Amino acid sequence: MTRLAKPLSKIAPHYDVIVVGSGYGGAVTASRLARAGKHVAILERGREVVTGEFPNRFPELRNEIRITGANIKTGKPDALFDIRLNEDMHIIVGCGLGGGSLINAGVALRPDNRVFEDNHWPREIRDDGTLDEGFRRADAWLSPTSHHNADKLTKYRALEAATEDTGSTIVSPPVAVSFAENKNPAGILQPACTLCGDCCSGCNVGAKNTVALNYLPDAVRHGAELFTHAHVQTVTRADENDPWTVTLSPISSNGKHEDGQQITIKAGIVVLSAGTLGSTEILLRSAGAGLKTSQTLGQRFSANGDIIAFGYGATPEINAVGIGHPPKIENFEVGPAVSGQLEIDDEQTLDNEIRVQDGVLPSAIAPILPVMFVPNGRLLGALKSLINGVYKGPFKHLQTFFAVSHDNAKGAFSLKKDRLTLSWPNAKDQPVYARLDAILDKITSNSGGSYVKNPLAGSVMGHQPATAHPLGGCAMAETHETGVVNHKCQVFNPALANGANSVHDGLYVIDGAVIPRSLGVNPLLTITALAERAMIHISDDYDLNYDCDPAGPETQTTPNAPGLPSPCSYEKVHGGHKQRSIEPTG
Ligand SMILES: Cc1cc2nc3c(=O)[nH]c(=O)nc-3n(C[C@H](O)[C@H](O)[C@H](O)COP(=O)(O)OP(=O)(O)OC[C@H]3O[C@@H](n4cnc5c(N)ncnc54)[C@H](O)[C@@H]3O)c2cc1C
Ligand code: SF4
């Protein structure tokens, strides 16, 4: 099986560019700067999980869950699902080569234009035209499309039937999924989606257009070096004229931090793309070590008005539990993790807009569904799964909803005992949650079932809201008085005398952390577009040239999915960089 990452022992002491994190922001950055001929290293704390290795059974899934909070720390640091428990709101993010793209539903939507009219964005975002180009490039490389037969899927039809009296319309939203076999923009052959529904535990078919199958292999093809198990702690520099120093703690191959060991490497440009949580944490820790940053660092956290909720006991069949690959049951069609979207628009008040999607739970979670949803579920579950399995019993009628809207972005991160902690008093009382409850209650009762807001309320999750769309913390703004980075994603330096918009030379944040407000739609396309936009500006500022045309027929095909012939080697277009190994310092 083709792998992209190199062992950490091969890392060089110096690069032109260090990119921290390998989700959407990091993958775009690495691809574009490697195409421009820069010697790029990507540092990712998680591990490389390739097609065919994603969890398929509950014990494997359980092994891929890391939960941390004030009084809890369980699971491996390189587990795929990173769940952070906070007093006011919980957060789930992806961890691994490809970041959130590995475990998300791939819904790729552009926000309403009114989102960008908000003055929390720097005016250049609205005015200079490069955001449109960013969206165009993001679209070309992630290739989102709607499922052509969505309206034949039972879960779509059930959502459609439940729209009555909701003032909504139903559409099939574009998802970053290959519904037909194709050669993708990075020259990789991707097979067609089998409609197995397991997108949110990782696609074992190779049909989901994750950045591990497009931007990251493109970066490697152009000479970037990719290292996993590299948990970055700080980015600092002694003097304005020095290169940046990135300090990381290696994680061992058994998924544990190697106690006390640290590696330092240097670069002229450092891009933090460790996601909303990771980049904010690294900057907060670096600020503690002396880096000058905006006073607003950590603020403007938004959950994107996002929740996951359920409907139990619907009359029609829903079929929204994945069947996995290879399929656990024959002749059964689920669909991609999202195929239908109910839209509530409001031309007067943007905040009232809501998107509700017909989600799917991954097949590996199936064995614990009775325990989650049914009183005495342990007993019933054991009985039912013996007799019917979740594909025939009451769970054939289980609805899963992914809902997105707008919140007030008033959450704030800080470091407490070196742990990133979210504070957002009364977050759960924001009007958005009452609006979501009302519409979900209506949809589930229209379907003949009942609304189950939080089946895990009795567990460590409690009654707090939880989000999979964390945004902000290093918000974009016009000056350091109102944000952490400028419209080009350069980190403000408030210590410089020459104005409130002075920046650190060569230090960037490019990921969901820079988004200063809720988007009202799933964020991956906007994060990718902002990253493509930042690359347009970086190439102007550093006089770089690159093209970002998708692979043509002449591009070497690079299969990276099971069942496809002969693993390839990633050929360097730019490169010839010498690799020197450096030993971890004690
Ligand atoms: C279950 C689920 C479903 C989702 N569905 C959708 C959807 O359908 N559509 C959509 O638009 N969005 C969806 N999202 C959200 C979307 O995936 C994220 O918004 C997106 O991945 C964020 O991109 P990013 O570039 O900001 O960071 P990420 O994708 O989070 O990548 C950051 C990377 O940095 C790494 N990292 C973190 N800290 C460090 C460190 N200190 N050192 C080194 N590496 C580090 C992380 O391991 C990670 O790989 C979903 C998320 C989840 C969890
Ligand atoms: S439905 Fe299955 S095959 Fe299709 S993208 Fe999702 S996980 Fe992959």
Side-chain angles (χ1 to χ4, degrees), residues 240-253:
E240 292 290 306
N241 301 316
D242 281 355
W244 292 98
T245 299
V246 171
T247 304
L248 66 95
S249 305
I251 297 175
S252 68
S253 51

Side-chain angles (χ1 to χ4, degrees), residues 20-26 43-46 81-82 84 92-101 103-109 175 200 230-233 273-279 281-282 285 338 357 402 467-471 510-513 521-525 527:
V20 180
S22 62
Y24 294 95
L43 307 178
E44 165 59 49
R45 69 180 169 149
F81 295 84
D82 177 1
R84 311 285 181 97
I92 173 165
V93 293
C95 169
L97 200 69
S101 77
I103 55 160
N104 67 20
V107 177
L109 294 166
V175 285
C200 291
H231 194 187
V232 170
Q233 304 298 319
S273 297
T276 290
L277 276 58
S279 294
E281 178 175 335
I282 294 167
R285 195 176 291 114
V338 168
Q357 294 152 358
F402 303 150
T467 181
H469 294 177
L471 302 172
I510 303 182
D511 57 24
V521 294
N522 317 51
L524 77 82
L525 193 69
I527 295 169

Side-chain angles (χ1 to χ4, degrees), residues 534-547:
M535 291 301 107
I536 295 171
H537 287 282
I538 212 173
S539 55
D540 281 353
D541 290 347
Y542 286 83
D543 202 15
L544 303 174
N545 277 308
Y546 64 86
D547 75 65

